Each structure stands twice: as C-alpha cells, then as structure tokens.
Amino acid sequence: MNKINGTIVRSCAGRDSGDYFVVIACDSLGFFYIANGKDRKLNKPKKKNVKHLQFTKTVIDLDDITDRKLRKFLREYESLNNI
C-alpha cells in the first residue's frame, strides 16, 4: 500500500469536511493517517476511516516535505480546484 502514500484526499465527514489532506500512512484495518501541515502536522497525523475520504488522482512526493511545504502545496491545489 505504499503506492497510496502521498495521495491528495478530501475529507467528506467530520468537522474537517471539505478540507484537503495528504495521506501519510495506512494500516491494515482500513484507516488512513492524513496531514495538512496546519491543524494536523506530519508528526501527528489524523486517523481517518477510508469511507470518509474522497481520493484524487494527484500524488505528491513525501521525501523532504515539511509542514510549510505541505501547507503551501495544498493551498495552491485547493485554489486551482475551486475555480
């Protein structure tokens, strides 16, 4: 499942509904760990059920990524997709 890491996802449920995140990791029970660099940092990602996520086709490289770079990328991605 390493192929899923780095995928941009949109939250469909919860108080963060509509926000964009990046998948950091996943486990065998169907939970994904997501971060956006602001509320959910890379070192403390949010655990989210797969049925509450909408996957996009965009995948980013997680090597040498920081919270600041992640925030900037997600902000630009959201502005391009909300036209």
Side-chain angles (χ1 to χ4, degrees):
M1 286 200 180
N2 200 10
K3 206 163 107 173
I4 295 176
N5 292 351
T7 304
I8 304 296
V9 294
R10 188 173 185 187
S11 175
C12 298
R15 66 178 70 183
D16 57 4
S17 179
D19 294 344
Y20 286 97
F21 294 87
V22 65
V23 175
I24 303 301
C26 56
D27 63 14
S28 60
L29 300 175
F31 289 100
F32 286 83
Y33 295 90
I34 57 174
N36 64 359
K38 183 179 178 185
D39 303 323
R40 292 297 176 167
K41 305 283 185 181
L42 290 167
N43 61 354
K44 191 170 181 189
K46 179 178 180 76
K47 182 180 179 182
K48 194 101 168 158
N49 195 321
V50 67
K51 66 183 179 181
H52 297 151
L53 297 174
Q54 178 183 12
F55 287 80
T56 65
K57 295 180 181 180
T58 307
V59 179
I60 63 170
D61 186 22
L62 294 179
D63 296 334
D64 299 327
I65 193 153
T66 62
D67 288 320
R68 174 181 254 173
K69 289 178 186 178
L70 182 58
R71 281 193 309 267
K72 182 180 177 187
F73 182 83
L74 290 176
R75 192 173 340 137
E76 291 171 0
Y77 183 84
E78 187 174 7
S79 67
L80 290 176
N81 289 320
N82 287 336
I83 294 176

